[in-house]
Amino acid sequence: YDTYIPQLVEDARAAVDKAVALGVVDRDRIGVTGHSHGALMTVNLLAHTTFFRAGVATSGSYNKTLTPFGFQNERRSVWKARDVYLKVSPFFSADKIKLPLLIMHGMADDNVLFTHSTTLFKKLQDLNKPFDIMTYPGSKHGLLRHADTGLHGYSTIKRFLDTQLDGDAE
């Protein structure tokens, strides 16, 4: 994770440039979404790039210092790689987010503590950033995979992205 942010930015740049070159996307109407570690990536992309017009992050871990003994393929503790934990955590870059973000999280998440979303929510609120939060009482980590929350979650995401990207796609 020493070079995580630069790699993430360059990978996103390459994907966006290729999709635009193929003619399958409008560069001015691209949203980004991610779940779990992908949510961390989504929020980091909104903080560190201008490639996207909005983002949706579900069940993300936004402050890696709250997982001090490693995460994903990072095996060093926060005490051995403090700078990595801080740079990877979009919570510490929330002031750079200028684009709309929808945060979604199940309140009974058994994989990523719900407090990750609530602390990011509070930080964005304090900074007057454009965001919304949708919480699901009783839902666990895979909230979009369950019949009781999935349909509502996906329709919420669609409405949010249609509104933010000025789209009318079905």
Side-chain angles (χ1 to χ4, degrees):
Y1 279 85
D2 294 339
T3 60
Y4 166 76
I5 296 294
Q7 286 181 56
L8 180 66
V9 169
E10 290 310 309
D11 289 349
R13 181 188 324 276
V16 167
D17 288 348
K18 184 65 172 182
V20 170
L22 290 172
V24 295
V25 300
D26 175 348
R27 187 179 295 277
D28 296 324
R29 295 183 58 216
I30 302 174
V32 60
T33 68
H35 174 74
S36 195
H37 194 66
L40 168 93
M41 296 167 75
T42 294
V43 180
N44 270 319
L45 285 168
L46 292 183
H48 298 287
T49 74
T50 58
F51 308 146
F52 306 98
R53 298 298 168 251
V56 178
T58 63
S59 306
S61 173
Y62 309 113
N63 181 349
K64 288 301 184 184
T65 66
L66 299 176
T67 56
F69 300 105
F71 56 90
Q72 297 300 105
N73 290 324
E74 178 56 66
R75 299 296 174 236
R76 297 171 292 184
S77 73
V78 69
W79 300 277
K80 299 226 186 250
R82 183 181 319 262
D83 287 346
V84 168
Y85 279 72
L86 294 175
K87 286 178 186 172
V88 166
S89 300
F91 175 79
F92 298 105
S93 300
D95 59 317
K96 296 178 181 177
I97 297 172
K98 298 192 179 12
L99 301 170
L101 171 64
L102 171 62
I103 303 166
M104 302 172 82
H105 209 122
M107 294 172 73
D109 194 320
D110 51 349
N111 187 34
V112 175
L113 295 173
F114 180 63
T115 56
H116 280 276
S117 286
T118 57
T119 54
L120 181 60
F121 163 83
K122 179 69 174 131
K123 178 74 169 178
L124 292 169
Q125 188 177 46
D126 290 348
L127 294 167
N128 290 320
K129 297 297 181 173
F131 75 98
D132 201 357
I133 188 166
M134 181 68 61
T135 59
Y136 291 88
S139 290
K140 295 186 177 187
H141 193 62
L143 65 99
L144 295 176
R145 287 182 276 169
H146 301 289
D148 59 335
T149 55
L151 185 57
H152 181 269
Y154 282 116
S155 65
T156 300
I157 292 168
K158 183 185 181 316
R159 271 192 315 278
F160 176 80
L161 290 175
D162 281 349
T163 300
Q164 301 305 324
L165 304 177
D166 193 28
D168 56 5
E170 292 295 318

